[in-house]
Structure formats: structure tokens, C-alpha cells
Amino acid sequence: MYKIYFEKPVHVHFIGIGGISMSGLAKVLLKEGFTVSGSDNKRSPLTEQLEEAGAAVFYGQKASNIIDGIDVVVYTAAIHADNEEYQAAVKKGLSMLTRAQLLGQLMTNYDIPIAVAGTHGKTTTTSMLTHILLAADTDPTVSVGGILNAIGGNIRVGNSEIFVTEACEYTNSFLEFFPKISIILNIDEDHLDFFKDLEDIRRSFRRFAELLPSDGCLIINGDIERLNGLTDGLSCKVVTYGTGSALDYSAANISHNELGNASFDFIKKGNFMSRITLSVNGEHNVSNALAALAAADLLGIPVCEASEGLKKFRGTKRRFEYKGEVNGITIIDDYAHHPTEIKASLMAARHYPHREIWCVFQPHTFTRTKALFHEFVEALSYTDHIILADIYAARETDTLGISSADIAEELCKTGADAYYLPSFEKIEAFCMEKCKKGDMLITMGAGDVVNIGDSLLEA
């Protein structure tokens, strides 16, 4: 495999440079003195930022983009072997790296690479840890899968030996990484278009844990079922956190303020460390905060600085994000697209000021919807009213005989107030008719459902 050394900058070309992860990696290389070029289908704020930083960006993926002087080509999972630009790179005999392989290579250039993994909560926990590291003046390099205001985007290039990144399990991409500290937040049934079942997913996370060197450390949620199967026999140090008092780190006396934001006693090995106050709501964020606090403690960061950093964290875009108000109706947007995430967000919403809660949910992929159909029905029952938008197909073309109308029908059978509407325009009109002053309207899903709230606020 091609090796990336910061001491020897080369010319790296990105096919699909405008993606949130690819653009972030390109920014790191630009800061380190590499020559960067790349292509994307259309101009965007991210590609414009890259051009301003010195990257050569081509629009449209064509063979002619593979210019002379390129040393290595990086491509995403969305780029297939029949891609014209990809084929040109292969024909020229250029070295090729996937996005995950490049990210793994970047990690080897830092003394303390930290990888945050889990089916849910990666972006939030990475962002929480980033806020802690900034409060402690550690000057980290960070790659996060969302827009974090504290770093002005999705990437921060620092000058210390700490590198923090999300580690996604999809297509086993995190197995290309070289972490010194790894966090496993949770393991749930998801991405069943790639994984066979939950056991297959657990095997992948076990292999991820095994990547850690003997002087490394695994920080893992002690509430994960059959934890020993993931940790037994590891050569590295294992640290646990969660709800159990027997775990290394835990939370006690959890309370919520008038906005639903949580506070809790931070406990280490049975000893009270500090009262932690969050500026985000939901008990799932208490768990995320514990993971970040455990990593901070491992790095020797005083709990007072960690507490200060957590209090400044007010969420990332599309994670229970307050968008505004229209006619006295509070508009919230949330990225939740798995039943576990949906339930956690809807439970958190109960602590937020509201009269009634309306949720517009857009399922993400036919595979996930069919595989977890009954789990979706159960999770969506935790709101007062639910409106289903059409399934966001993403990369899929086969409907598998499943639709959002099926979810609405099943919810109605349970007594839920559920509706299916076939277009965003009809959903917007329905919401303006039905929602009352003091209600909360949550747009939820990993697709383009966010546009509904934006449209209502612009009306």
C-alpha cells in the first residue's frame, strides 16, 4: 500500500474531492505542504474553500483530470471501476488509495491517533471530545463527519500529536485505521446491505478493537451486550463506561433543565469527580459525554477543563438542531435514521419545551427500512404525531416491496396518529394546517428531509 509521509509531500489527487470527509482530508494535506488536485460533479462551498487553500479542482469526472505529476489517487466508495477518471488513473499505473486507506495513513503521522467508532453517536462524541481538547489548549487535528461551529467546519488542522477522527464501520472501512486510542460507543444492527447480521457487525468491531497496539487503549461502553466477546484477549488496556457502578466511568444523579439539557455526577471508579453540565439534551448524550470524559482523563486533561469544554458544546448541524420558529412552532432538525437513534431523539424531545410533538420522518434506504421495519414502528411511537415522507433511496434502486405508507399503516394499527404524504409540498401544507402555537416540529432522517423545515421557515 502507498504510504503517506508528512516529511515527504507529494501530489495527491481526489476523485470526489467535494465530499465532507474527502475535503477534510485534502485540507490536512494542503496544510502539510502537499500538492492537491481533485474533481467533483459540481461546485460547492467545500470545493471553493479548497480552491482558496490552493487545490486545483476540476468539475465533472473526466479522464483529462488525471494530469501529469500525480503520485497517488484517492477515491470514495461511490466511485466504481467504470468511472472514466478512475479508469484513466489505473491506465497510467498510478498508486490508488480508498478514502479509508488515506485516513489510516494520515493517522500514522501522529503519536496519539484517536478513533471514535459505534453505530450511533460518532459525530457528537467526536465533537464533544474536540471541545474538551480545545478547552485544554491541546491544539488537535480533527476530522468530524458534520459541521462543527467550534472549528468552522468539518476539519481542524492543529500542530500537536493528537489526531481525532470518526471511524465508520460501513464496508469495514475502519479496519484500515491505525489508532492508539479507540472508542466504541455502541453496536447495533445496521448497514445490512453490507453486513449479514448483528453477529457479523460484532465481528467487525472485534477486529477494530484488535487493531490497537499493546500500549494502546480501548474505551468501550460497558452496557454493550456480551461485552467479553469484544474485549477478552485484547493486548491493549480496556476502559469501560456506562450506567453500571462497577464500570470505570459512570454517571449518577442525572437531571434536566427547562430546555432538557442534562447534568450529572461524573464518577470514576466509584469516586465523585465533578458535576457535569451539558448544553445538549437527551440521556444518550450523557453516555456520549462519558466516552469523551474517559478519553480526556486518559490524556491527562483535568476534569475542570473537560467540564468547561463540554458545557460549550451546543451540538453539530443536523443533531437535534434548533432551526427557528414559524407561527409559534419550534422547528428542530435531526439526522436520526436508525430506530435506536430515533427513539433516543424523541425521548430527548420530551424534555424540551413543547405543547405537542410532530415528527416528519424520512426513512433512509429500502434495505434498512425492510430489515428493521418493526423496530421503526416501535421507535416512531414515542411522539404525539408522525408524518412519513417517501423513503430516501440513497445508493439503492430496488424498493424491496417496502414503502413509507407501510410504516404509517402499521403505526395506525397500534393507535398512533400517523400519516403518509407523497411529497414535501403536501407535508409542508399539512404541517402548517395541523401544528399549533407551542408545538415542536422535528424533521428527521439522513436524507433531504431537512428541506421541509427550511422551506417552512422561509415561507
Side-chain angles (χ1 to χ4, degrees):
M1 184 188 301
Y2 192 92
K3 298 286 286 184
I4 296 289
Y5 297 101
F6 283 178
E7 299 81 8
K8 298 178 180 178
V10 295
H11 184 168
V12 182
H13 181 84
F14 292 79
I15 305 178
I17 198 169
I20 193 162
S21 179
M22 290 279 272
S23 63
L25 299 178
K27 288 176 184 175
V28 173
L29 293 179
L30 284 165
K31 181 71 179 294
E32 295 295 335
F34 284 67
T35 300
V36 172
S37 61
S39 66
D40 215 273
N41 289 327
K42 59 183 179 181
R43 185 178 299 275
S44 71
L46 289 174
T47 62
E48 290 173 355
Q49 290 171 17
L50 288 169
E51 288 178 301
E52 290 172 4
V57 180
F58 304 96
Y59 295 98
Q61 291 171 353
K62 298 170 287 189
S64 59
N65 297 341
I66 304 300
I67 57 179
D68 291 339
I70 294 172
D71 295 292
V72 59
V73 173
V74 182
Y75 60 97
T76 68
I79 303 301
H80 301 295
D82 59 355
N83 179 279
E84 178 183 335
E85 193 169 335
Y86 178 93
Q87 289 180 336
V90 172
K91 188 175 181 180
K92 282 194 172 186
L94 296 175
S95 296
M96 310 284 282
L97 291 175
T98 65
R99 180 203 63 82
Q101 287 171 337
L102 173 63
L103 183 48
Q105 289 295 308
L106 292 187
M107 295 175 84
T108 65
N109 289 274
Y110 296 86
D111 288 343
I112 310 174
I114 304 171
V116 182
T119 316
H120 323 293
K122 292 184 290 292
T123 297
T124 296
T125 306
T126 302
S127 300
M128 284 179 166
L129 181 54
T130 297
H131 270 264
I132 290 173
L133 294 171
L134 293 176
D137 292 325
T138 60
D139 199 12
T141 295
V142 179
S143 175
V144 62
I147 302 301
L148 181 61
N149 290 335
I151 60 174
N154 63 310
I155 194 77
R156 181 187 191 276
V157 183
N159 293 297
S160 74
E161 290 303 319
I162 299 176
F163 178 82
V164 184
T165 183
E166 292 184 35
C168 182
E169 75 277 10
Y170 185 55
T171 68
N172 284 329
S173 62
F174 63 0
L175 299 185
E176 303 286 353
F177 291 3
F178 298 90
K180 189 70 171 289
I181 299 172
S182 290
I183 298 173
I184 297 180
L185 302 167
N186 40 62
I187 300 177
D188 218 336
E189 200 170 25
D190 199 11
H191 297 306
L192 296 176
D193 56 330
F194 176 76
F195 294 110
K196 295 176 183 177
D197 50 29
L198 182 58
E199 291 307 307
D200 193 23
I201 297 169
R202 284 177 59 89
R203 283 191 292 271
S204 182
F205 275 92
R206 168 70 194 201
R207 291 171 62 195
F208 172 69
E210 290 172 347
L211 296 176
L212 287 161
S214 58
D215 61 345
C217 181
L218 173 65
I219 299 169
I220 188 166
N221 188 338
D223 297 326
I224 294 174
E225 292 185 3
R226 295 179 286 137
L227 187 68
N228 290 348
L230 299 166
T231 60
D232 281 356
L234 294 178
S235 62
C236 66
K237 179 181 180 181
V238 176
V239 168
T240 58
Y241 72 91
T243 58
S245 58
L247 302 177
D248 295 307
Y249 301 93
S250 60
N253 300 319
I254 300 171
S255 63
H256 303 270
N257 67 11
E258 67 279 2
L259 293 177
N261 297 340
S263 296
F264 61 93
D265 291 344
F266 175 44
I267 309 297
K268 176 183 177 182
K269 296 186 183 298
N271 297 311
F272 172 83
M273 299 297 290
S274 178
R275 183 71 181 172
I276 303 295
T277 299
L278 304 181
S279 298
V280 290
N281 63 1
E283 294 200 9
H284 61 295
N285 276 324
V286 173
S287 180
N288 293 334
L290 279 174
L293 285 165
D297 191 50
L298 192 67
L299 294 171
I301 294 173
V303 69
C304 59
E305 294 179 357
S307 177
E308 177 189 345
L310 283 174
K311 192 169 185 178
K312 289 180 179 178
F313 173 67
R314 289 177 171 79
T316 57
K317 289 189 180 298
R318 302 225 58 211
R319 271 69 176 181
F320 208 84
E321 179 188 5
Y322 173 82
K323 302 287 289 187
E325 289 189 13
V326 57
N327 295 344
I329 303 160
T330 300
I331 307 292
I332 301 288
D333 182 60
D334 197 276
Y335 190 70
H337 56 282
H338 184 280
T340 301
E341 299 166 348
I342 293 165
K343 182 177 178 180
S345 291
L346 292 178
M347 291 291 284
R350 293 181 175 186
H351 295 289
Y352 198 92
H354 69 277
R355 190 184 74 89
E356 292 187 342
I357 300 173
W358 291 78
C359 178
V360 179
F361 178 63
Q362 180 187 45
H364 190 264
T365 75
F366 298 104
T367 302
R368 182 182 285 114
T369 306
K370 186 176 181 66
L372 304 175
F373 180 83
H374 294 291
E375 290 85 349
F376 276 115
V377 172
E378 194 273 334
L380 290 167
S381 68
Y382 285 85
T383 186
D384 299 312
H385 314 277
I386 178 69
I387 303 164
L388 276 300
D390 279 326
I391 295 170
Y392 189 85
R395 54 194 170 269
E396 298 181 341
T397 56
D398 187 350
T399 67
L400 303 176
I402 197 75
S403 73
S404 291
D406 296 330
I407 299 177
E409 182 180 349
E410 194 66 24
L411 277 164
C412 287
K413 289 179 183 178
T414 69
D417 187 36
Y419 308 84
Y420 161 70
L421 295 171
S423 71
F424 281 7
E425 291 78 11
K426 290 186 176 181
I427 291 173
E428 290 164 18
F430 183 84
C431 289
M432 292 311 294
E433 176 189 350
K434 297 292 185 180
C435 294
K436 306 299 182 185
K437 183 177 180 180
D439 286 353
M440 181 196 307
L441 175 63
I442 307 174
T443 55
M444 186 175 286
D448 56 358
V449 68
V450 59
N451 294 339
I452 291 175
D454 291 341
S455 179
L456 290 174
L457 290 167
E458 291 169 3

